[in-house]
Amino acid sequence: MRWGPIVAKISRKRGFTNRLLRLRPIMSASTQLDRFKLAMQSVYGPFESLNTEQVAQWSPPENSGGHRGRYLWTDAFGVLNFLTLHKETTDRKYITLANNLVKTVHAVLGFTRDGISRLPGATDQNPLGGGMRIGKLDEGGSDGDGQYHHYLTIWMFALNRMAIASSDPGYNDQAIALAKAIHPRFFKDVKSAMPRMYWKIAVDMSRPLVASEGNLDAVDGFVVFKLLAATSEDPGCLKDEIGDYQRVVDRKGQHCVSSDTLDLGMSLWIAHWGIASNNASAQQLGNRCLESFDSLLDQGLLESSFRRRLAFRDFGACLGLRCYAGDKPSHESLVRKLLSKWEEYVESQPEDLRPISEVMYAAALIPGGRLSWCILSRLDSVVFEAYGHALAFKKNYLGPESTAEGTPFPRMSKVI
Protein backbone atom coordinates (compact mmCIF):
# COMPACT_ATOMS: atom_id res chain seq x y z
CA MET A 1 0.00 0.00 0.00
CA ARG A 2 1.27 3.45 -0.87
CA TRP A 3 1.04 5.76 2.13
CA GLY A 4 2.47 8.94 0.60
CA PRO A 5 -0.85 10.25 -0.79
CA ILE A 6 -2.55 9.38 2.51
CA VAL A 7 0.05 11.35 4.48
CA ALA A 8 -0.48 14.34 2.21
CA LYS A 9 -4.26 14.02 2.47
CA ILE A 10 -4.15 13.93 6.28
CA SER A 11 -1.93 17.00 6.39
CA ARG A 12 -4.17 18.99 4.04
CA LYS A 13 -7.39 17.90 5.73
CA ARG A 14 -6.16 18.89 9.17
CA GLY A 15 -4.88 22.24 8.00
CA PHE A 16 -1.28 21.70 8.99
CA THR A 17 1.69 23.19 7.21
CA ASN A 18 4.66 21.18 6.03
CA ARG A 19 6.49 21.55 9.32
CA LEU A 20 8.39 18.35 10.04
CA LEU A 21 8.84 16.01 12.93
CA ARG A 22 12.02 16.51 14.92
CA LEU A 23 12.53 13.04 16.35
CA ARG A 24 16.20 12.82 15.33
CA PRO A 25 17.51 14.31 18.64
CA ILE A 26 15.37 11.76 20.49
CA MET A 27 16.71 8.88 18.44
CA SER A 28 20.29 9.98 19.01
CA ALA A 29 20.02 9.80 22.83
CA SER A 30 22.48 7.41 24.46
CA THR A 31 20.22 4.71 25.96
CA GLN A 32 16.86 3.22 25.06
CA LEU A 33 15.39 4.50 28.32
CA ASP A 34 16.65 8.02 27.55
CA ARG A 35 15.09 7.87 24.09
CA PHE A 36 11.88 6.50 25.59
CA LYS A 37 11.63 9.39 28.08
CA LEU A 38 12.45 12.02 25.47
CA ALA A 39 9.80 10.67 23.09
CA MET A 40 7.19 10.73 25.84
CA GLN A 41 8.19 14.24 26.98
CA SER A 42 7.87 15.54 23.43
CA VAL A 43 4.15 14.72 23.71
CA TYR A 44 3.44 15.19 27.43
CA GLY A 45 5.88 17.92 28.39
CA PRO A 46 8.98 17.95 30.63
CA PHE A 47 7.58 15.68 33.34
CA GLU A 48 11.05 14.46 34.34
CA SER A 49 11.81 17.85 35.90
CA LEU A 50 8.65 18.00 38.03
CA ASN A 51 8.82 17.76 41.81
CA THR A 52 6.38 15.67 43.85
CA GLU A 53 3.85 18.46 44.27
CA GLN A 54 4.00 19.35 40.59
CA VAL A 55 3.51 15.72 39.58
CA ALA A 56 0.36 15.53 41.70
CA GLN A 57 -1.01 18.67 40.02
CA TRP A 58 0.18 17.78 36.51
CA SER A 59 -2.30 18.00 33.67
CA PRO A 60 -1.26 16.75 30.21
CA PRO A 61 -0.74 19.46 27.59
CA GLU A 62 -3.20 19.57 24.70
CA ASN A 63 -0.70 17.88 22.46
CA SER A 64 -1.96 14.41 21.50
CA GLY A 65 -2.91 15.41 17.97
CA GLY A 66 -6.69 15.32 18.38
CA HIS A 67 -9.74 17.45 19.13
CA ARG A 68 -9.19 19.67 22.19
CA GLY A 69 -5.72 18.13 22.43
CA ARG A 70 -6.75 14.51 23.02
CA TYR A 71 -6.63 11.48 20.71
CA LEU A 72 -7.74 8.15 22.14
CA TRP A 73 -5.18 5.83 20.51
CA THR A 74 -2.25 8.13 21.28
CA ASP A 75 -3.26 8.65 24.90
CA ALA A 76 -3.91 4.93 25.45
CA PHE A 77 -0.30 4.31 24.48
CA GLY A 78 0.67 7.27 26.66
CA VAL A 79 -0.91 5.61 29.71
CA LEU A 80 0.76 2.28 28.94
CA ASN A 81 4.12 3.97 28.41
CA PHE A 82 3.88 5.72 31.78
CA LEU A 83 3.29 2.29 33.33
CA THR A 84 6.36 1.01 31.50
CA LEU A 85 8.39 3.84 33.06
CA HIS A 86 7.06 2.82 36.47
CA LYS A 87 8.16 -0.75 35.81
CA GLU A 88 11.58 0.30 34.59
CA THR A 89 12.29 2.72 37.45
CA THR A 90 9.90 1.66 40.29
CA ASP A 91 9.09 5.39 40.66
CA ARG A 92 5.42 5.81 41.53
CA LYS A 93 5.30 9.30 40.06
CA TYR A 94 4.60 7.59 36.73
CA ILE A 95 1.47 5.98 38.19
CA THR A 96 0.32 9.48 39.18
CA LEU A 97 1.04 10.83 35.70
CA ALA A 98 -0.87 7.95 34.11
CA ASN A 99 -3.80 8.55 36.46
CA ASN A 100 -3.93 12.26 35.61
CA LEU A 101 -3.82 11.44 31.90
CA VAL A 102 -6.72 8.98 32.29
CA LYS A 103 -8.83 11.60 34.09
CA THR A 104 -8.13 14.21 31.42
CA VAL A 105 -8.99 11.87 28.56
CA HIS A 106 -12.28 10.95 30.23
CA ALA A 107 -13.06 14.64 30.77
CA VAL A 108 -12.56 15.41 27.07
CA LEU A 109 -13.37 12.33 24.99
CA GLY A 110 -16.17 11.19 27.30
CA PHE A 111 -17.96 14.48 26.60
CA THR A 112 -19.57 16.08 23.57
CA ARG A 113 -17.28 18.09 21.32
CA ASP A 114 -18.36 21.38 22.90
CA GLY A 115 -17.38 19.99 26.32
CA ILE A 116 -20.74 20.89 27.83
CA SER A 117 -22.31 17.51 28.52
CA ARG A 118 -21.45 13.84 28.81
CA LEU A 119 -22.05 11.63 25.80
CA PRO A 120 -25.59 10.22 25.58
CA GLY A 121 -25.92 7.25 27.89
CA ALA A 122 -23.27 8.44 30.34
CA THR A 123 -24.02 9.69 33.85
CA ASP A 124 -22.01 10.92 36.82
CA GLN A 125 -22.33 7.41 38.25
CA ASN A 126 -21.41 5.74 34.91
CA PRO A 127 -19.21 8.31 33.13
CA LEU A 128 -18.21 5.94 30.30
CA GLY A 129 -21.74 4.73 29.62
CA GLY A 130 -21.79 6.70 26.38
CA GLY A 131 -18.52 5.33 25.06
CA MET A 132 -15.61 7.59 24.11
CA ARG A 133 -14.92 9.74 21.09
CA ILE A 134 -11.96 9.04 18.82
CA GLY A 135 -10.84 12.67 19.02
CA LYS A 136 -10.78 13.41 15.30
CA LEU A 137 -10.24 17.09 14.53
CA ASP A 138 -13.18 17.26 12.10
CA GLU A 139 -16.69 16.77 13.42
CA GLY A 140 -18.03 15.16 10.25
CA GLY A 141 -16.96 13.88 6.88
CA SER A 142 -15.10 10.73 5.85
CA ASP A 143 -12.41 11.30 8.50
CA GLY A 144 -14.72 12.85 11.08
CA ASP A 145 -15.17 12.07 14.76
CA GLY A 146 -16.98 8.98 15.96
CA GLN A 147 -16.14 5.83 17.89
CA TYR A 148 -13.76 3.08 16.74
CA HIS A 149 -14.01 -0.37 18.31
CA HIS A 150 -10.24 -0.97 18.19
CA TYR A 151 -9.51 2.37 19.87
CA LEU A 152 -12.01 1.62 22.63
CA THR A 153 -10.55 -1.83 23.34
CA ILE A 154 -6.99 -0.47 23.59
CA TRP A 155 -8.30 2.13 26.06
CA MET A 156 -10.02 -0.64 28.05
CA PHE A 157 -6.73 -2.49 28.09
CA ALA A 158 -4.92 0.60 29.39
CA LEU A 159 -7.51 0.92 32.19
CA ASN A 160 -7.05 -2.76 33.02
CA ARG A 161 -3.28 -2.33 33.32
CA MET A 162 -3.86 0.76 35.48
CA ALA A 163 -6.01 -1.32 37.84
CA ILE A 164 -3.25 -3.88 38.26
CA ALA A 165 -0.38 -1.38 38.46
CA SER A 166 -2.12 0.82 41.04
CA SER A 167 -4.00 -1.96 42.91
CA ASP A 168 -7.17 0.08 42.32
CA PRO A 169 -9.98 -2.10 40.89
CA GLY A 170 -11.95 1.02 40.00
CA TYR A 171 -10.05 1.35 36.73
CA ASN A 172 -11.05 -2.15 35.64
CA ASP A 173 -14.63 -1.47 36.73
CA GLN A 174 -14.62 1.57 34.42
CA ALA A 175 -13.27 -0.56 31.57
CA ILE A 176 -16.05 -3.12 32.09
CA ALA A 177 -18.69 -0.37 32.14
CA LEU A 178 -17.25 0.96 28.88
CA ALA A 179 -17.24 -2.55 27.40
CA LYS A 180 -20.90 -3.13 28.25
CA ALA A 181 -21.89 0.29 26.91
CA ILE A 182 -20.27 0.04 23.49
CA HIS A 183 -20.54 -3.68 22.75
CA PRO A 184 -24.13 -3.90 21.42
CA ARG A 185 -23.72 -0.71 19.38
CA PHE A 186 -20.97 -2.26 17.24
CA PHE A 187 -23.01 -5.36 16.41
CA LYS A 188 -25.63 -6.13 13.79
CA ASP A 189 -27.93 -9.06 14.63
CA VAL A 190 -25.91 -9.61 17.78
CA LYS A 191 -27.93 -12.60 19.01
CA SER A 192 -28.11 -14.38 15.68
CA ALA A 193 -25.97 -17.38 14.83
CA MET A 194 -23.85 -15.23 12.52
CA PRO A 195 -23.60 -11.69 13.92
CA ARG A 196 -21.65 -8.97 12.16
CA MET A 197 -19.75 -5.95 13.44
CA TYR A 198 -19.41 -2.31 12.39
CA TRP A 199 -16.00 -0.69 12.09
CA LYS A 200 -17.04 2.85 13.10
CA ILE A 201 -20.14 4.29 14.77
CA ALA A 202 -21.41 7.81 15.45
CA VAL A 203 -20.26 9.80 18.46
CA ASP A 204 -23.66 9.25 20.10
CA MET A 205 -23.55 5.53 19.13
CA SER A 206 -26.90 5.94 17.34
CA ARG A 207 -25.86 4.52 13.95
CA PRO A 208 -22.95 2.97 12.08
CA LEU A 209 -20.71 5.33 10.11
CA VAL A 210 -18.73 2.53 8.42
CA ALA A 211 -20.73 -0.68 8.11
CA SER A 212 -17.84 -2.94 7.11
CA GLU A 213 -16.01 -5.06 9.70
CA GLY A 214 -12.57 -4.29 11.08
CA ASN A 215 -10.10 -7.08 10.45
CA LEU A 216 -9.06 -7.41 14.10
CA ASP A 217 -12.11 -6.19 15.98
CA ALA A 218 -13.71 -9.52 16.93
CA VAL A 219 -10.59 -11.31 18.10
CA ASP A 220 -9.32 -8.11 19.74
CA GLY A 221 -12.61 -7.75 21.62
CA PHE A 222 -12.48 -11.39 22.71
CA VAL A 223 -8.99 -11.05 24.17
CA VAL A 224 -9.50 -7.71 25.93
CA PHE A 225 -12.95 -8.57 27.33
CA LYS A 226 -11.55 -11.86 28.65
CA LEU A 227 -8.79 -9.96 30.43
CA LEU A 228 -11.26 -7.50 31.94
CA ALA A 229 -13.41 -10.36 33.23
CA ALA A 230 -10.40 -12.18 34.66
CA THR A 231 -9.49 -9.06 36.66
CA SER A 232 -13.01 -8.57 37.98
CA GLU A 233 -14.58 -9.84 41.19
CA ASP A 234 -17.20 -11.38 38.88
CA PRO A 235 -15.34 -13.43 36.22
CA GLY A 236 -18.63 -14.06 34.41
CA CYS A 237 -19.48 -10.37 34.03
CA LEU A 238 -18.78 -10.31 30.28
CA LYS A 239 -19.67 -13.90 29.44
CA ASP A 240 -22.37 -13.02 26.90
CA GLU A 241 -20.25 -10.37 25.18
CA ILE A 242 -17.28 -12.75 24.90
CA GLY A 243 -19.62 -15.33 23.36
CA ASP A 244 -20.73 -12.78 20.76
CA TYR A 245 -17.13 -12.18 19.71
CA GLN A 246 -16.52 -15.92 19.49
CA ARG A 247 -19.46 -16.31 17.08
CA VAL A 248 -18.04 -13.58 14.83
CA VAL A 249 -14.66 -15.32 14.88
CA ASP A 250 -16.38 -18.61 14.02
CA ARG A 251 -18.26 -16.99 11.12
CA LYS A 252 -15.17 -15.35 9.68
CA GLY A 253 -13.05 -18.45 10.01
CA GLN A 254 -9.35 -18.02 9.38
CA HIS A 255 -8.10 -14.58 10.41
CA CYS A 256 -7.05 -12.46 7.44
CA VAL A 257 -3.38 -11.56 7.60
CA SER A 258 -2.76 -8.30 5.76
CA SER A 259 0.40 -6.72 4.41
CA ASP A 260 -0.04 -3.54 6.47
CA THR A 261 2.72 -3.30 9.07
CA LEU A 262 0.56 -1.93 11.91
CA ASP A 263 -2.12 -4.54 11.28
CA LEU A 264 0.54 -7.25 11.36
CA GLY A 265 2.02 -5.86 14.56
CA MET A 266 -1.33 -5.76 16.36
CA SER A 267 -2.15 -9.26 15.07
CA LEU A 268 1.07 -10.49 16.67
CA TRP A 269 0.13 -8.73 19.91
CA ILE A 270 -3.21 -10.55 19.87
CA ALA A 271 -1.55 -13.88 19.01
CA HIS A 272 0.96 -13.69 21.84
CA TRP A 273 -1.79 -14.10 24.42
CA GLY A 274 -2.22 -17.71 23.36
CA ILE A 275 1.43 -18.63 23.06
CA ALA A 276 2.06 -19.31 26.75
CA SER A 277 -0.46 -22.19 26.68
CA ASN A 278 0.57 -23.43 23.21
CA ASN A 279 -2.81 -22.44 21.75
CA ALA A 280 -2.78 -23.81 18.20
CA SER A 281 -4.86 -20.98 16.71
CA ALA A 282 -2.58 -18.36 18.26
CA GLN A 283 0.55 -20.09 17.02
CA GLN A 284 -0.84 -20.44 13.51
CA LEU A 285 -1.89 -16.79 13.41
CA GLY A 286 1.51 -15.69 14.69
CA ASN A 287 3.39 -17.85 12.22
CA ARG A 288 1.32 -16.56 9.31
CA CYS A 289 2.07 -12.99 10.40
CA LEU A 290 5.78 -13.77 10.51
CA GLU A 291 5.53 -15.28 7.02
CA SER A 292 3.88 -12.07 5.85
CA PHE A 293 6.78 -10.07 7.31
CA ASP A 294 9.19 -12.34 5.44
CA SER A 295 7.26 -11.66 2.25
CA LEU A 296 7.42 -7.90 2.86
CA LEU A 297 11.18 -8.20 3.35
CA ASP A 298 11.49 -10.07 0.06
CA GLN A 299 9.51 -7.26 -1.58
CA GLY A 300 11.95 -4.64 -0.24
CA LEU A 301 10.43 -3.48 3.05
CA LEU A 302 13.78 -2.12 4.23
CA GLU A 303 14.65 -0.59 0.85
CA SER A 304 11.36 0.98 -0.23
CA SER A 305 10.77 4.70 0.26
CA PHE A 306 10.37 5.55 3.94
CA ARG A 307 9.36 9.07 2.95
CA ARG A 308 6.10 7.67 1.58
CA ARG A 309 5.27 5.62 4.69
CA LEU A 310 3.84 6.33 8.13
CA ALA A 311 6.33 5.86 10.95
CA PHE A 312 3.81 4.88 13.61
CA ARG A 313 2.62 1.91 11.55
CA ASP A 314 6.14 0.50 11.31
CA PHE A 315 6.66 1.16 15.03
CA GLY A 316 3.53 -0.92 15.67
CA ALA A 317 5.12 -3.71 13.68
CA CYS A 318 8.24 -3.52 15.85
CA LEU A 319 6.10 -3.67 18.98
CA GLY A 320 4.19 -6.72 17.77
CA LEU A 321 7.36 -8.54 16.77
CA ARG A 322 8.90 -7.99 20.18
CA CYS A 323 5.70 -9.11 21.93
CA TYR A 324 5.37 -12.31 19.93
CA ALA A 325 8.89 -13.29 19.05
CA GLY A 326 10.74 -11.88 22.06
CA ASP A 327 14.47 -11.72 21.51
CA LYS A 328 14.74 -14.29 18.72
CA PRO A 329 17.78 -13.03 16.74
CA SER A 330 16.14 -12.92 13.31
CA HIS A 331 13.12 -10.92 14.43
CA GLU A 332 15.05 -8.67 16.80
CA SER A 333 17.37 -7.92 13.90
CA LEU A 334 14.40 -6.83 11.78
CA VAL A 335 13.15 -4.56 14.59
CA ARG A 336 16.55 -2.93 14.99
CA LYS A 337 16.88 -2.41 11.24
CA LEU A 338 13.44 -0.80 11.00
CA LEU A 339 14.13 1.54 13.91
CA SER A 340 17.54 2.38 12.49
CA LYS A 341 16.05 3.17 9.08
CA TRP A 342 13.51 5.49 10.64
CA GLU A 343 16.33 7.40 12.32
CA GLU A 344 17.28 8.47 8.80
CA TYR A 345 13.79 9.30 7.52
CA VAL A 346 11.60 10.22 10.46
CA GLU A 347 11.99 13.95 9.77
CA SER A 348 9.96 13.43 6.60
CA GLN A 349 6.81 12.81 8.67
CA PRO A 350 4.18 15.59 8.92
CA GLU A 351 4.04 17.33 12.29
CA ASP A 352 0.39 16.42 12.83
CA LEU A 353 1.50 12.77 13.10
CA ARG A 354 4.21 13.59 15.64
CA PRO A 355 2.33 12.59 18.83
CA ILE A 356 1.16 9.18 17.61
CA SER A 357 4.58 8.49 16.09
CA GLU A 358 6.43 9.32 19.29
CA VAL A 359 4.30 7.26 21.67
CA MET A 360 4.47 4.30 19.28
CA TYR A 361 8.22 4.76 18.93
CA ALA A 362 8.60 4.66 22.71
CA ALA A 363 6.47 1.50 22.95
CA ALA A 364 8.57 -0.17 20.23
CA LEU A 365 11.77 0.76 22.06
CA ILE A 366 10.82 -0.72 25.44
CA PRO A 367 7.75 -2.96 25.35
CA GLY A 368 7.17 -2.83 29.11
CA GLY A 369 10.59 -3.98 30.20
CA ARG A 370 13.56 -5.58 28.51
CA LEU A 371 11.33 -7.07 25.81
CA SER A 372 7.85 -6.87 27.16
CA TRP A 373 5.68 -3.66 27.04
CA CYS A 374 2.66 -3.30 29.33
CA ILE A 375 1.03 -5.76 26.96
CA LEU A 376 3.48 -8.57 27.64
CA SER A 377 5.62 -10.02 30.35
CA ARG A 378 6.36 -13.71 30.44
CA LEU A 379 7.66 -13.62 34.01
CA ASP A 380 6.44 -16.04 36.68
CA SER A 381 2.91 -15.44 37.95
CA VAL A 382 2.19 -14.58 41.54
CA VAL A 383 -1.03 -14.75 43.50
CA PHE A 384 -1.94 -11.80 45.73
CA GLU A 385 -4.98 -10.61 47.60
CA ALA A 386 -6.94 -7.88 45.84
CA TYR A 387 -10.32 -6.44 46.68
CA GLY A 388 -11.52 -9.43 48.67
CA HIS A 389 -10.28 -12.48 46.80
CA ALA A 390 -7.16 -14.01 45.33
CA LEU A 391 -6.26 -13.14 41.76
CA ALA A 392 -3.45 -14.53 39.65
CA PHE A 393 -1.43 -11.86 37.88
CA LYS A 394 2.00 -11.90 36.41
CA LYS A 395 4.81 -10.55 38.49
CA ASN A 396 4.89 -6.74 37.96
CA TYR A 397 1.36 -6.77 36.54
CA LEU A 398 2.08 -7.05 32.86
CA GLY A 399 0.14 -10.13 31.43
CA PRO A 400 -0.63 -12.61 29.84
CA GLU A 401 -2.80 -13.79 32.73
CA SER A 402 -4.11 -17.27 33.35
CA THR A 403 -7.81 -17.60 34.02
CA ALA A 404 -10.10 -20.35 35.17
CA GLU A 405 -11.29 -20.66 31.57
CA GLY A 406 -7.80 -20.83 30.14
CA THR A 407 -5.66 -18.49 28.06
CA PRO A 408 -7.61 -15.46 26.77
CA PHE A 409 -7.44 -16.41 23.10
CA PRO A 410 -10.42 -17.57 21.01
CA ARG A 411 -10.64 -20.79 19.08
CA MET A 412 -10.51 -20.16 15.35
CA SER A 413 -12.13 -22.37 12.76
CA LYS A 414 -10.69 -23.21 9.35
CA VAL A 415 -7.13 -22.40 10.33
CA ILE A 416 -4.34 -23.76 8.16
Side-chain angles (χ1 to χ4, degrees):
M1 184 175 291
R2 298 177 62 185
W3 290 106
I6 296 177
V7 172
K9 179 181 177 182
I10 292 172
S11 296
R12 290 194 301 270
K13 179 177 264 306
R14 295 182 178 179
F16 284 82
T17 66
N18 290 323
R19 293 173 296 170
L20 300 177
L21 273 174
R22 297 298 173 187
L23 268 174
R24 189 180 296 276
I26 294 173
M27 290 182 160
S28 63
S30 57
T31 69
Q32 284 199 136
L33 184 58
D34 288 338
R35 295 197 293 276
F36 188 105
K37 289 180 178 180
L38 286 172
M40 282 290 287
Q41 288 183 101
S42 69
V43 179
Y44 296 110
F47 53 78
E48 284 297 285
S49 63
L50 301 179
N51 60 37
T52 302
E53 182 179 354
Q54 290 170 327
V55 166
Q57 297 175 350
W58 178 80
S59 181
E62 296 183 356
N63 194 35
S64 292
H67 181 246
R68 295 178 58 204
R70 304 268 62 89
Y71 195 71
L72 192 57
W73 180 275
T74 299
D75 285 330
F77 273 80
V79 170
L80 292 165
N81 286 344
F82 277 130
L83 298 184
T84 293
L85 285 172
H86 168 64
K87 177 182 179 290
E88 290 291 297
T89 66
T90 70
D91 192 333
R92 289 196 64 83
K93 77 177 183 182
Y94 298 115
I95 300 290
T96 301
L97 294 172
N99 170 68
N100 292 0
L101 178 55
V102 167
K103 289 181 177 178
T104 302
V105 172
H106 287 174
V108 175
L109 299 183
F111 279 70
T112 53
R113 288 176 64 87
D114 58 15
I116 295 175
S117 59
R118 295 189 185 277
L119 295 178
T123 65
D124 290 346
Q125 294 72 37
N126 183 18
L128 301 185
M132 294 183 70
R133 295 188 294 113
I134 299 165
K136 294 284 188 180
L137 291 174
D138 293 340
E139 182 173 5
S142 60
D143 194 35
D145 215 352
Q147 299 198 30
Y148 283 149
H149 187 274
H150 59 298
Y151 280 32
L152 291 162
T153 49
I154 200 67
W155 186 254
M156 294 174 206
F157 180 78
L159 292 175
N160 174 264
R161 302 295 95 170
M162 276 293 298
I164 301 171
S166 65
S167 299
D168 181 352
Y171 292 107
N172 196 66
D173 292 343
Q174 286 185 316
I176 291 172
L178 177 60
K180 287 182 172 294
I182 66 100
H183 175 81
R185 305 304 186 100
F186 278 94
F187 274 79
K188 179 181 180 181
D189 302 326
V190 64
K191 295 308 177 185
S192 70
M194 301 181 69
R196 301 189 64 85
M197 293 183 66
Y198 302 124
W199 183 62
K200 182 181 181 181
I201 62 176
V203 166
D204 63 2
M205 300 197 295
S206 63
R207 67 192 190 282
L209 295 181
V210 180
S212 58
E213 287 185 317
N215 186 37
L216 299 175
D217 284 354
V219 64
D220 184 47
F222 183 99
V223 168
V224 173
F225 279 44
K226 200 94 179 271
L227 291 171
L228 300 183
T231 313
S232 172
E233 289 183 306
D234 177 12
C237 62
L238 293 170
K239 181 179 179 180
D240 291 343
E241 291 83 356
I242 292 168
D244 294 338
Y245 288 121
Q246 181 67 71
R247 291 201 307 282
V248 175
V249 172
D250 289 343
R251 174 183 60 77
K252 296 179 73 171
Q254 180 176 284
H255 176 78
C256 176
V257 173
S258 81
S259 59
D260 175 73
T261 51
L262 178 59
D263 194 80
L264 284 171
M266 297 311 291
S267 294
L268 286 172
W269 168 61
I270 290 169
H272 96 263
W273 292 99
I275 294 304
S277 64
N278 296 315
N279 179 283
S281 295
Q283 290 179 330
Q284 289 162 344
L285 172 59
N287 289 337
R288 289 171 59 227
C289 288
L290 295 180
E291 290 172 1
S292 185
F293 271 116
D294 290 340
S295 177
L296 289 175
L297 285 171
D298 291 340
Q299 296 170 31
L301 176 66
L302 295 174
E303 290 77 34
S304 62
S305 175
F306 279 68
R307 297 183 186 278
R308 300 180 65 82
R309 286 155 59 177
L310 299 178
F312 74 89
R313 306 194 79 84
D314 282 2
F315 296 152
C318 295
L319 172 63
L321 283 166
R322 282 180 159 169
C323 283
Y324 184 85
D327 57 357
K328 291 181 179 178
S330 60
H331 301 113
E332 180 61 16
S333 175
L334 172 56
V335 169
R336 291 179 181 274
K337 287 178 180 178
L338 271 174
L339 294 178
S340 177
K341 279 286 187 179
W342 274 112
E343 290 179 10
E344 302 175 30
Y345 293 103
V346 74
E347 290 182 352
S348 66
Q349 296 288 282
E351 188 172 343
D352 54 316
L353 298 180
R354 175 180 57 80
I356 193 171
S357 297
E358 288 171 345
V359 297
M360 295 289 286
Y361 172 67
L365 277 177
I366 308 179
R370 190 175 69 88
L371 286 173
S372 60
W373 193 33
C374 287
I375 284 177
L376 169 67
S377 176
R378 293 195 176 93
L379 302 178
D380 295 334
S381 62
V382 297
V383 177
F384 62 96
E385 292 297 321
Y387 28 97
H389 73 295
L391 294 175
F393 290 117
K394 295 299 171 181
K395 187 189 298 182
N396 66 19
Y397 62 78
L398 301 178
E401 284 78 1
S402 297
T403 73
E405 301 179 42
T407 301
F409 193 86
R411 65 180 183 274
M412 289 186 175
S413 60
K414 303 177 184 177
V415 292
I416 296 176

